């Protein structure tokens, strides 16, 4: 069964799929980077295009009822919103990277190597802290902060050391900046 032969419909569905993929990648790191603004504008353009598609290609006096392809972009957009709302991209990407990050956190020294991939995260900065280590994975976000993960297995972090939010087990999301 073929959903559509309309090249505009295929192009639009592909554009929504790309927007969904980029949104899920952006949501898989703590904090929102600056390119999330461009992504929001891209979603806005897609929403306007969808309104045009519904008006021009949707049901009307001389047109057939809704075609099956029209539900694919809507399903992609709703699925993306649901996954982002549930924080699923962040938890999934972290789960796939946790063992690599943990083994590195246990062996981090003062002469660390920054700007490397550990698991699925590009770690820009590593800092050894008392009882663990912290990794910066998102730098200079929309509110001028840097975000990352902190591995502190033996104790709860001291509020004077920075802003920490418990994430999972011995892992915390830490924030650096104003």
């Amino acid at each position: 069964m073929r959903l559509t032969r309309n090249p505009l419909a295929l192009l639009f569905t592909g554009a929504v799929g790309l927007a969904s993929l980029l949104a899920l990648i952006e949501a898989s790191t703590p904090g929102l980077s600056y390119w999330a603004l461009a992504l929001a504008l891209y979603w806005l353009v897609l929403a306007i295009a969808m309104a045009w598609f519904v008006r021009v290609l949707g049901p009307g006096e001389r047109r057939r009822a809704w075609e099956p392809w029209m539900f694919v972009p809507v399903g992609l957009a709703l699925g993306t919103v649901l996954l982002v709302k549930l924080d699923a991209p962040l938890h999934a990407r972290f789960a796939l990277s946790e063992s690599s990050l943990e083994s590195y956190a246990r062996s981090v020294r003062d002469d660390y190597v920054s700007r490397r991939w550990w698991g699925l995260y590009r770690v820009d900065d590593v800092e050894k802290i008392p009882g663990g280590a912290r990794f910066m994975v998102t730098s200079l976000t929309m509110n001028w902060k840097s975000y990352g993960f902190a591995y502190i297995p033996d104790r709860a972090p001291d509020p004077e050391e920075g802003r920490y939010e418990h994430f999972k087990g011995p892992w915390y999301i830490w924030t650096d900046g104003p």
Side-chain angles (χ1 to χ4, degrees):
M1 176 178 140
R2 191 172 182 135
L3 289 177
T4 185
R5 292 177 192 248
N6 185 342
L8 284 176
L10 294 173
L11 182 65
F12 180 73
T13 303
V16 172
L18 177 64
S20 294
L21 177 66
L22 293 174
L24 293 173
I25 290 171
E26 174 63 27
S28 69
T29 58
L32 290 174
S33 65
Y34 282 111
W35 74 275
L37 290 174
L39 187 58
L41 289 174
Y42 183 52
W43 274 108
L44 179 64
V45 168
L46 289 175
I48 292 168
M50 184 62 174
W52 179 81
F53 268 121
V54 167
R55 189 170 191 293
V56 172
L57 300 174
E61 293 176 16
R62 292 185 304 239
R63 291 184 295 269
R64 297 183 305 169
W66 292 99
E67 293 188 36
W69 75 265
M70 293 180 168
F71 295 102
V72 174
V74 172
L76 283 170
L78 291 176
T80 301
V81 168
L82 178 65
L83 289 172
V84 169
K85 185 71 178 160
L86 294 173
D87 244 357
L90 177 64
H91 286 279
R93 187 173 179 184
F94 182 81
L96 293 170
S97 305
E98 184 176 8
S99 63
S100 178
L101 287 170
E102 185 173 340
S103 66
Y104 185 59
R106 290 178 183 272
S107 65
V108 73
R109 299 183 313 261
D110 291 332
D111 60 340
Y112 60 86
V113 177
S114 60
R115 291 177 175 65
R116 288 193 56 189
W117 285 89
W118 293 101
L120 298 176
Y121 288 103
R122 182 165 191 264
V123 177
D124 290 329
D125 198 12
V126 180
E127 183 180 353
K128 185 174 180 154
I129 57 174
R134 60 186 181 186
F135 310 94
M136 181 176 60
V137 295
T138 308
S139 64
L140 290 181
T141 59
M142 287 191 278
N143 52 0
W144 294 94
K145 295 181 181 180
S146 298
Y147 289 87
F149 297 107
Y151 178 75
I152 309 171
D154 299 334
R155 62 180 178 84
D158 188 1
E160 293 179 9
E161 295 174 11
R163 287 178 285 244
Y164 292 91
E165 176 187 334
H166 186 259
F167 182 62
K168 174 186 170 187
W171 290 96
Y172 296 83
I173 292 177
W174 69 275
T175 308
D176 185 32

